[in-house]
Amino acid sequence: MLKNNVSPSSSEEGLAWQPSATSTTLHKRAHIISTVRKFFAERNVLEVDTPLMCQHSVTDPHVTGIPAIFQSLGETSEKIMYLQTSPEYAMKRLLASGIGSIYQITKAFRQGEVGKIHNPEFTMLEWYRIGYDHHALMNEMDELLMLVLSTLPAERISYTDLFLQQLNVNVHTATLQELKNCAATKNIFLQAEINEKDVWLDILWTHYIEPKVGQERPLFLYDFPASQASLAKVRHETPAHASRFEVYFKGVELANGFHELQDAEEQKKRFEKDSAYRKQNHLPEKTIDQYFLAALNHGLPDCAGVALGIDRLIMLALGFERVADVLSFDFSRV
Amino acid sequence: MAVYTTNEIRGGMKVMIDNDPCVILDNEMVKPGKGQAFNRIKFRNLKNGRVVERTWKSGDTIPSADVVDVEAQYLYNDGSGWHFMTNETFEQFVLDEGHLGEAKQWLKEQGECVLTLFNSMPLAVAVANFVSLKIAETDPGVRGDTSGGGGKPAKLETGAVVRVPLFVQEGELIKVDTRTGEYVSRVKE
């Protein structure tokens, strides 16, 4: 009888100690990262370096930090720390201290995220520009992409317009049932009961729209529904919009940026809303980062910021389809 | 019965979906930076052969199917079914033509194959990647041509038609790649 249900793994044929990427790719990777550093040096944006391990993680229901256990020498009590999911809070504390425009290239960690274009430990480029709104930051993002990816100027479209154009769905007025029906017409079938509008919008996005966008040139998607504001300012027009944008190229999500929320009270409310959602959905509770709120209370300058996945950027620049192909050692080899 | 979580699911695994045994073809995690994670899973229903794609919440589980692959020999076709015998237990199974799929054109009597059984019922048959078959019919090649360029069609003893080099003659035994249906080489008897 043959063994059933066993998938071949590299470890069966000998330990895969070799790098995931070729040495040529790693040379090209180094070159792209030096190009990025030069880009910011020329614009007088300061490179900074913030902690990877912090006592608080994010409250986002769908982003989870990886715990790291800290123990003082000679003590038995343990303190659970978290590997950061992004350097956002620390960088905003620097901004509140008056440092000016900053960037950093750092590692970020996301619990459980393994896939073709996900590695639980990845390299992130995050930068903040004082006095910019999300449109001004999109301009700078476009310059960087044209430099690294040799692309044409990006296409820009609002979240509302793209859903209308692709699915004839009005994201502000559509009911839950309408979104479910729309998914069924696109042959999207879920083996789960989902009753949140924003999750259905995400499903329509990831299953139907995302794979098609940004094929010729990058796509900048801006002005999200207020319910997906995250840490962006909300403009209380009718309907309300979040000053948030995302960047896509060849169907791959590359970056997420905000015209940053400055209001500490509003930020606290959003954290508490996340915590309530976590509780309701039986997700682990997360503490709120009081250092970050204190910094907002002191005053965050008007600014826009964005985080870009460097591994994905390099993957696209070099024409690969898996991030493993541009990493020294992907998660299956560590 | 064992279950797999969505992150363990790999191509080739046999699972139960809607009470039918299915084989996984592809599993892709989709997760927007700030959004919930899902797995888009593509699978073939082994009973009806249909390929379907469906989405699970990441972390959900799918039960494994009690499916086994056994080495067997193809015996004969009696007009109503294709008969096989397993190498280890000498049990005999009959498959109808609809379940033979691609394997049909490469099966010759006493030929080795792999039977997929579900609850002791045969679902599918697969042949080896390379099989040796006799040429039943082909035009005589041009004398002196040994380059193999161009080639000609040859009908094999199982009925399959493959392109072979001009120098290959009727009655010869050849090796064929069953995945592509291509001629590989001549085989010495």
Side-chain angles (χ1 to χ4, degrees):
Chain A
M1 207 170 271
L2 302 180
K3 264 173 118 184
N4 185 47
N5 278 335
V6 173
S7 63
S9 89
S10 47
S11 59
E12 282 170 15
E13 293 129 30
L15 207 56
W17 61 269
Q18 300 93 338
S20 319
T22 65
S23 109
T24 313
T25 298
L26 293 176
H27 274 90
K28 288 179 181 166
R29 179 185 173 103
H31 178 73
I32 290 173
I33 290 177
S34 75
T35 303
V36 171
R37 287 211 157 89
K38 208 168 132 229
F39 179 88
F40 288 107
E42 282 165 0
R43 286 163 177 76
N44 285 317
V45 180
L46 180 71
E47 179 167 13
V48 297
D49 180 5
T50 59
L52 286 180
M53 189 172 68
C54 302
Q55 62 170 311
H56 302 287
S57 188
V58 290
T59 56
D60 291 49
H62 304 303
V63 179
T64 306
I66 298 178
I69 295 162
F70 178 79
Q71 206 170 26
S72 288
L73 289 175
E75 279 181 28
T76 50
S77 64
E78 292 175 340
K79 188 173 169 71
I80 295 177
M81 309 289 285
Y82 293 93
L83 299 175
Q84 60 163 15
T85 59
S86 98
E88 182 158 7
Y89 300 166
M91 288 181 85
K92 284 183 178 170
R93 284 164 65 188
L94 287 175
L95 293 165
S97 77
I99 198 167
S101 294
I102 49 176
Y103 84 97
Q104 86 170 301
I105 295 171
T106 185
K107 286 297 179 81
F109 300 82
R110 302 275 168 98
Q111 186 69 281
E113 299 187 15
V114 189
K116 247 191 223 166
I117 55 166
H118 290 87
N119 200 66
E121 172 181 343
F122 61 102
T123 305
M124 187 180 254
L125 162 67
E126 183 149 331
W127 83 92
Y128 292 87
R129 285 298 225 151
I130 305 288
Y132 280 33
D133 67 3
H134 57 308
H135 289 285
L137 193 59
M138 277 189 260
N139 294 341
E140 190 165 68
M141 171 67 80
D142 209 6
E143 286 174 40
L144 179 68
L145 296 186
M146 287 191 279
L147 182 67
V148 174
L149 298 171
S150 308
T151 44
L152 295 165
E155 183 192 344
R156 300 186 194 198
I157 188 167
S158 74
Y159 191 100
T160 310
D161 287 347
L162 190 59
F163 269 81
L164 268 180
Q165 188 197 87
Q166 292 289 329
L167 293 168
N168 201 24
V169 161
N170 181 324
V171 298
H172 302 284
T173 59
T175 63
L176 181 65
Q177 195 54 48
E178 281 166 356
L179 296 181
K180 287 183 179 180
N181 295 346
C182 176
T185 65
K186 299 299 173 196
N187 293 317
I188 301 166
F189 298 107
L190 236 64
Q191 195 86 355
E193 182 73 16
I194 300 285
N195 288 311
E196 294 152 71
K197 253 187 78 173
D198 282 315
V199 179
W200 274 103
L201 289 174
D202 267 357
I203 290 167
L204 289 170
W205 173 261
T206 52
H207 286 63
Y208 186 75
I209 307 178
E210 185 180 35
K212 300 199 284 185
V213 299
Q215 293 302 330
E216 302 297 321
R217 53 176 78 201
L219 176 94
F220 291 179
L221 185 70
Y222 63 89
D223 286 358
F224 281 58
S227 53
Q228 296 181 32
S230 195
L231 281 81
K233 274 187 207 293
V234 168
R235 306 196 307 279
H236 294 284
E237 34 196 48
T238 315
H241 286 103
S243 298
R244 171 179 171 188
F245 72 99
E246 285 189 335
V247 177
Y248 292 85
F249 187 50
K250 299 206 181 292
V252 174
E253 179 185 347
L254 259 185
N256 179 43
F258 309 130
H259 188 194
E260 303 292 348
L261 178 68
Q262 294 166 280
D263 182 341
E265 268 311 303
E266 169 66 19
Q267 183 63 67
K268 195 168 165 233
K269 274 188 210 151
R270 290 190 197 174
F271 280 157
E272 284 164 356
K273 203 176 150 200
D274 282 348
S275 298
Y277 180 96
R278 281 186 161 272
K279 207 165 186 176
Q280 199 188 333
N281 290 278
H282 312 290
L283 297 168
E285 283 183 61
K286 293 286 175 228
T287 53
I288 289 172
D289 189 336
Q290 299 297 337
Y291 292 111
F292 172 52
L293 282 183
L296 286 190
N297 256 319
H298 171 79
L300 179 74
D302 182 32
C303 65
V306 63
L308 180 153
I310 285 275
D311 305 318
R312 289 186 185 174
L313 179 77
I314 294 170
M315 172 187 92
L316 293 169
L318 304 183
F320 290 109
E321 290 183 348
R322 308 177 317 147
V323 282
D325 292 328
V326 302
L327 297 175
S328 57
F329 300 100
D330 72 85
F331 192 61
S332 72
R333 293 171 190 240
V334 293
Chain B
M1 177 160 289
V3 295
Y4 301 114
T5 60
T6 51
N7 58 338
E8 294 170 319
I9 298 278
R10 302 270 183 284
M13 282 183 172
K14 313 278 186 1
V15 296
M16 291 298 291
I17 299 170
D18 301 340
N19 300 315
D20 278 349
C22 300
V23 60
I24 300 293
L25 302 177
D26 196 27
N27 175 16
E28 177 72 21
M29 182 184 81
V30 288
K31 186 191 181 304
K34 302 268 179 197
Q36 194 170 333
F38 289 96
N39 285 67
R40 290 181 82 166
I41 298 180
K42 202 191 252 186
F43 55 92
R44 176 183 287 117
N45 182 311
L46 287 170
K47 274 194 171 162
N48 59 29
R50 260 185 231 126
V51 173
V52 182
E53 190 176 82
R54 221 178 279 171
T55 299
W56 273 257
K57 272 203 287 194
S58 292
D60 280 357
T61 56
I62 304 178
S64 69
D66 196 9
V67 164
V68 288
D69 290 337
V70 293
E71 287 173 352
Q73 207 179 59
Y74 166 56
L75 299 176
Y76 58 89
N77 170 16
D78 64 5
S80 64
W82 298 61
H83 294 250
F84 298 86
M85 183 175 68
T86 65
N87 293 358
E88 259 182 34
T89 60
F90 309 115
E91 257 181 295
Q92 292 201 17
F93 294 98
V94 187
L95 267 177
D96 60 42
E97 195 163 336
H99 284 88
L100 291 178
E102 290 287 300
K104 184 183 150 193
Q105 57 179 327
W106 310 117
L107 281 173
K108 92 173 163 179
E109 293 181 6
Q110 274 85 56
E112 291 298 318
C113 56
V114 173
L115 273 185
T116 300
L117 304 176
F118 170 64
N119 285 343
S120 302
M121 293 281 293
L123 280 176
V125 59
V127 291
N129 291 342
F130 298 100
V131 294
S132 295
L133 293 169
K134 191 164 277 177
I135 295 181
E137 211 181 306
T138 189
D139 289 336
V142 180
R143 185 173 292 274
D145 181 292
T146 52
S147 68
K152 60 183 178 181
K155 193 174 179 188
L156 307 179
E157 55 183 318
T158 57
V161 176
V162 296
R163 277 200 88 72
V164 298
L166 296 175
F167 58 79
V168 177
Q169 302 301 331
E170 215 166 272
E172 282 192 281
L173 201 58
I174 61 161
K175 188 162 145 189
V176 182
D177 187 333
T178 59
R179 295 162 297 185
T180 58
E182 281 168 6
Y183 164 90
V184 179
S185 64
R186 281 196 285 195
V187 182
K188 283 194 188 119
E189 277 187 81

